[in-house]
Amino acid sequence: MSTKITLSSAAITLCAALALSACQSSKPAASGSAPTSTNTASAPAGGATDTSSSAAGATGSTGGTGSTEGTGATGATSSTPARGGSSGSASGTASAPNTAKPSGSASSGHDDDSYAYTHLCDPSKLTVQVTRMTDIPTRRLITVRNNGSTSCGLSYYPLVAIGNSQSADQSKDVRPLIPGGLGGPPAYPVYAGKTAYAVLDLNPGGSGSGPATTLTEINVLASQNMPNAATQNFPLGGGSVGTPKLGLYEAGVADAVASMQGANTPQQ
């Protein structure tokens, strides 16, 4: 009996030892797994932080360059030239307007009356035209445009003679009446890109002294100081001629018509 008790005690002691050993081995395993779990959780957290920082850095790099030249992004590259091209186009477009008044005139300071009084117009920088006025067929509108970059001076009125294009004898040319009592500035100023207007009425009274077959052209010299070689010839355009009248140069058509109506003095 005592032998059984001794064996039982030994068995109990052995089991207790085994149980204690098992418990001790399980504790390190749990302790080891906890750090492993912690490291696993911290790794994704660190990865998220790194990704966010990388995105911010990319944004900051793009904003820092300001040109996106090194990004190679298609969208950024195409938008930048588009904005630059539009600006350049608008600017080009801002300097062309130059057609109404050449840009050089504003910077030179030579587009005023005083400059025109001392610098007569060069025929090569003028465009002269004669057109029939639609309201009254006997009237012709003479326009002289200054194509230069500075103002220039014209005589008070253009020199006009109505003659026959087939005749070498100009003694029979008809010269229109002009306004009397002329005086004032030494010249009529025409600014750069602007036009001077003068009106010629071939037959103000309605009765003609010369048939269209005799007088066929209108000869115009834009200014008295110019050589005869600068005279331009325009077809009469039909109708009769009788005591024609010519007005002074004016800045507008209405004023040019009014000036013509006051013509009462023969040309010298």
Side-chain angles (χ1 to χ4, degrees):
M1 181 70 178
S2 60
T3 302
K4 292 181 179 179
I5 294 172
T6 301
L7 292 173
S8 298
S9 298
I12 292 170
T13 301
L14 179 60
C15 289
L18 292 173
L20 179 61
S21 176
C23 290
Q24 289 176 349
S25 63
S26 64
K27 287 180 180 179
S31 175
S33 64
T36 302
S37 175
T38 302
N39 292 341
T40 303
S42 64
T49 303
D50 292 342
T51 302
S52 174
S53 175
S54 174
T59 304
S61 174
T62 302
T65 59
S67 63
T68 67
E69 290 178 358
T71 62
T74 303
T77 303
S78 62
S79 64
T80 301
R83 289 193 297 272
S86 297
S87 175
S89 176
S91 176
T93 305
S95 62
N98 294 340
T99 55
K101 195 170 187 178
S103 58
S105 62
S107 60
S108 67
H110 294 158
D111 197 25
D112 51 28
D113 290 3
S114 60
Y115 188 83
Y117 295 155
T118 56
H119 295 78
L120 300 179
C121 293
D122 182 345
S124 65
K125 296 182 179 180
L126 301 177
T127 298
V128 181
Q129 293 182 329
V130 175
T131 56
R132 181 193 296 265
M133 299 183 68
T134 57
D135 54 345
I136 300 179
T138 59
R139 291 179 181 175
R140 302 292 185 270
L141 180 64
I142 302 172
T143 59
V144 179
R145 177 180 174 83
N146 179 7
N147 300 316
S149 60
T150 63
S151 62
C152 64
L154 295 171
S155 54
Y156 291 152
Y157 56 89
L159 293 183
V160 175
I162 306 165
N164 190 318
S165 59
Q166 303 300 321
S167 175
D169 183 8
Q170 298 182 354
S171 62
K172 296 182 179 180
D173 289 357
V174 178
R175 298 182 178 276
L177 300 175
I178 58 172
L182 300 180
Y188 177 83
V190 187
Y191 294 171
K194 300 300 182 180
T195 300
Y197 301 91
V199 172
L200 169 69
D201 195 332
L202 298 172
N203 191 4
S207 60
S209 60
T213 54
T214 303
L215 301 173
T216 59
E217 68 178 4
I218 302 173
N219 306 307
V220 179
L221 186 62
S223 188
Q224 295 178 7
N225 63 285
M226 296 178 180
N228 289 333
T231 301
Q232 299 189 39
N233 314 112
F234 302 90
L236 185 67
S240 58
V241 177
T243 316
K245 291 185 176 184
L246 173 68
L248 306 179
Y249 280 127
E250 299 289 352
V253 177
D255 290 339
V257 170
S259 177
M260 177 274 299
Q261 291 173 334
N264 56 8
T265 305
Q267 296 186 48
Q268 300 298 323

